[in-house]
């Protein structure tokens, strides 16, 4: 017997090799706990249920690597919520910085967007009636509205993409990206809107020709001011070679004053060639490249109509049933099973995560906080 064995025997110590099972230790796991996914889903559910205020129309989340993919996986399991998000909520995922920006258009947003879309469509219809090259081009321009747009990220794996959902867009049938994108923003998010325009223009390699921003003054002062912003790209010649940069062609041009009256600004001017990338607009030269104009008075009408509609909500007409009339609905069928077998586990996990998070967690920013889209 060796000296070590004699010593262990005298002190009644069991050598490690004699254990049948190893001591109990937490099993290793590579599964990540994503803290922001429950928050984003809760925001979506609250918005769907109508419990999230219209004033809080912009929220920014810092995500961990891989967390955006997990968010989309969980959303797809909840079919009804996924359908609502695709239809009603716009969000942007900036893959370079893993930032998720959730934008929820209000009634004022929607009316202005619809008005601008209709006005541009009317101008396109006017051009389509001809038989020249401009007419043939205009006939292939489509209203894409809030179509998902994906951009590859430079110096990243090919599967890494940013995703954006614009408020409105117009795309040529033969183009990969829309030529014109329209976004509506509140004044406190003006800087974010500029960064979003930069993503659209540069990440598309200038295939997106114009980004239009409508900046609505919103706050407790009762201002009705609204401004127009327009971004384009321009090539700059430098000592290190040519550089594609974004320039703000129109900055803070007020088209409606504090009282809601039109200003003397000319309005929004576009060219037909703005609706597609250069490879599809080579034939639009001279008179073929027709102008499309949305006058200031017209833009103000859309905003005024939106505000009037919001004020009249409680006075709108509906049918009134005679006293005593009952309404009979079909018998209720048993409720459908949850779309995900993991729903119960998810709810429990969501509650645990919420309990563990401190109030000063910097990973979540509400609309009242000043946040930018850059790292």
């Amino acid at each position: 017997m060796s000296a070590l064995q004699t010593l262990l025997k005298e002190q009644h110590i069991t050598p490690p090799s004699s254990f049948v099972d190893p001591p109990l230790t937490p099993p290793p796991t590579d599964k990540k706990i994503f803290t922001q996914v429950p928050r984003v889903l809760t925001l979506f559910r609250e918005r769907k249920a109508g419990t999230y205020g219209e004033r809080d129309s912009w929220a920014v989340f810092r995500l961990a690597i891989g967390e955006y993919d997990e968010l989309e996986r969980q959303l797809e399991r909840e079919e009804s919520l996924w359908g609502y998000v695709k239809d009603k909520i716009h969000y942007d995922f900036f893959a370079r910085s893993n930032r998720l920006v959730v934008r929820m258009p209000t009634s004022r947003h929607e009316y202005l967007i619809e008005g601008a879309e209709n006005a541009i469509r009317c101008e396109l219809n006017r051009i389509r009636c001809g038989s020249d090259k401009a007419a043939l081009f205009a006939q292939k321009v489509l209203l894409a509205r809030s179509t998902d747009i994906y951009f590859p990220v430079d110096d990243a794996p090919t599967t890494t993409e940013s995703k954006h959902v614009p408020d409105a867009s117009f795309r040529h049938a033969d183009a990969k990206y829309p030529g014109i994108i329209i976004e509506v923003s509140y004044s406190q998010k003006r800087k974010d809107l500029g960064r979003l325009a930069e993503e659209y223009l540069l990440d598309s390699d200038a295939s997106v020709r114009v980004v239009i921003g409508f900046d609505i003054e919103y706050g407790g002062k009762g201002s009705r001011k609204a401004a127009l912003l327009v971004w384009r790209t321009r090539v700059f010649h430098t000592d290190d070679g040519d550089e594609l940069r974004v320039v703000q062609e129109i900055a803070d041009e007020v088209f409606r004053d504090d009282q809601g009256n039109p200003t003397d600004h000319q309005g929004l001017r576009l060219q037909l060639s703005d609706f597609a990338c250069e490879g599809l607009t080579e034939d639009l030269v001279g008179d073929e490249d027709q102008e499309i104009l949305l006058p200031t008075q017209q833009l103000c009408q859309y905003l005024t109509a939106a505000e009037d509609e919001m004020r009249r909500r409680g006075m709108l007409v509906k049918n009134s049933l005679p006293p005593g009339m009952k309404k009979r609905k079909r018998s209720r069928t048993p409720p459908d099973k949850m779309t995900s077998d993991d729903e119960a586990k998810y709810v429990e996990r969501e509650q645990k995560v919420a309990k563990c998070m401190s109030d000063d967690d910097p990973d979540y920013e509400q609309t009242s906080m000043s946040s930018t889209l850059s790292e």
Side-chain angles (χ1 to χ4, degrees):
M1 181 179 295
S2 67
L4 176 60
Q5 290 174 329
T6 302
L7 178 61
L8 293 175
K9 184 175 181 181
E10 290 175 353
Q11 297 185 8
H12 306 286
I13 299 176
T14 305
S17 59
S18 65
F19 282 109
V20 177
D21 296 313
L24 295 177
T25 57
T29 177
D30 294 331
K31 186 176 181 180
K32 296 181 179 179
I33 296 179
F34 296 124
T35 60
Q36 297 292 58
V37 169
R39 286 177 165 177
V40 179
L41 292 176
T42 297
L43 173 64
F44 290 163
R45 293 188 185 108
E46 288 178 351
R47 188 66 180 182
K48 183 173 183 286
T51 58
Y52 199 84
E54 275 200 348
R55 191 180 183 88
D56 300 318
S57 62
W58 190 296
V60 182
F61 299 86
R62 292 190 184 97
L63 304 183
I65 296 175
E67 193 163 13
Y68 176 74
D69 295 331
E70 176 64 18
L71 172 64
E72 292 226 312
R73 278 193 293 269
Q74 293 202 28
L75 262 179
E76 290 172 1
R77 295 191 192 117
E78 295 189 49
E79 292 182 5
S80 61
L81 182 62
W82 180 229
Y84 175 82
V85 170
K86 289 184 71 68
D87 185 45
K88 297 294 184 182
I89 296 179
H90 303 167
Y91 64 88
D92 303 286
F93 174 60
F94 297 82
R96 288 187 187 87
S97 56
N98 280 303
R99 301 275 297 241
L100 179 73
V101 179
V102 179
R103 300 177 287 123
M104 292 155 283
T106 66
S107 299
R108 295 179 78 200
H109 284 85
E110 295 288 1
Y111 272 95
L112 180 57
I113 292 166
E114 184 177 2
E117 286 177 339
N118 288 338
I120 293 174
R121 238 182 338 201
C122 286
E123 289 292 291
L124 288 173
N125 287 337
R126 173 183 59 80
I127 299 173
R128 288 167 181 155
C129 292
S131 57
D132 54 4
K133 293 179 180 179
L136 296 176
F137 177 89
Q139 289 167 11
K140 301 190 75 172
V141 175
L142 311 171
L143 171 61
R145 198 65 193 265
S146 299
T147 303
D148 296 350
I149 301 174
Y150 295 89
F151 293 128
V153 178
D154 295 337
D155 302 323
T158 55
T159 56
T160 303
E161 291 182 318
S162 293
K163 176 183 177 180
H164 300 287
V165 185
D167 289 332
S169 59
F170 287 85
R171 182 181 64 83
H172 190 279
D174 297 329
K176 181 176 182 179
Y177 297 119
I180 291 178
I181 286 177
I182 301 174
E183 295 283 6
V184 181
S185 174
Y186 289 137
S187 292
Q188 63 265 34
K189 295 302 177 185
R190 183 177 301 164
K191 184 183 293 185
D192 289 341
L193 189 58
R195 296 184 187 280
L196 183 58
E198 190 172 89
E199 290 265 338
Y200 283 133
L201 293 164
L202 294 184
D203 286 357
S204 69
D205 296 333
S207 295
V208 175
R209 305 293 295 275
V210 186
V211 176
I212 302 163
F214 291 109
D215 187 3
I216 302 173
E217 191 78 25
Y218 186 83
K221 297 180 181 180
S223 173
R224 300 177 67 190
K225 185 186 295 184
L228 175 68
L229 306 95
V230 175
W231 292 268
R232 295 178 182 271
T233 56
R234 185 182 301 165
V235 176
F236 288 81
H237 304 290
T238 71
D239 294 338
D240 295 329
D242 292 346
E243 288 183 355
L244 183 67
R245 302 179 190 174
V246 173
V247 294
Q248 191 164 0
E249 186 178 75
I250 298 178
D252 304 332
E253 290 289 347
V254 176
F255 64 87
R256 191 173 79 153
D257 62 21
D258 289 308
Q259 289 72 43
N261 301 313
T263 66
D264 57 359
H265 185 262
Q266 63 180 353
L268 175 62
R269 290 181 178 273
L270 299 169
Q271 298 298 133
L272 188 59
S273 58
D274 290 331
F275 287 82
C277 59
E278 290 182 355
L280 296 172
T281 59
E282 295 172 347
D283 293 337
L284 296 178
V285 294
D287 294 338
E288 299 286 352
D289 194 8
Q290 297 191 31
E291 183 180 70
I292 292 178
L293 173 64
L294 274 66
T296 294
Q297 292 79 3
Q298 197 171 13
L299 295 174
C300 289
Q301 288 175 3
Y302 303 143
L303 272 177
T304 301
E307 293 161 351
D308 290 344
E309 180 69 18
M310 293 173 68
R311 281 193 296 267
R312 295 173 58 242
R313 279 181 178 177
M315 300 179 290
L316 299 178
V317 178
K318 64 179 288 293
N319 276 344
S320 297
L321 298 179
M325 179 176 287
K326 299 179 180 179
K327 294 185 286 188
R328 181 184 293 275
K329 295 183 179 180
R330 293 182 300 171
S331 300
R332 294 184 179 274
T333 57
D336 294 334
K337 293 182 179 180
M338 293 183 180
T339 56
S340 172
D341 294 335
D342 297 330
E343 180 67 17
K345 293 181 180 179
Y346 167 74
V347 172
E348 180 182 356
R349 175 186 169 194
E350 184 181 29
Q351 292 171 346
K352 287 181 179 179
V353 170
K355 184 178 179 181
C356 293
M357 290 178 179
S358 58
D359 294 335
D360 60 348
D361 188 342
D363 288 339
Y364 173 61
E365 303 170 34
Q366 293 252 10
T367 55
S368 60
M369 300 175 63
S370 60
S371 59
T372 63
L373 301 181
S374 66
E375 283 294 329

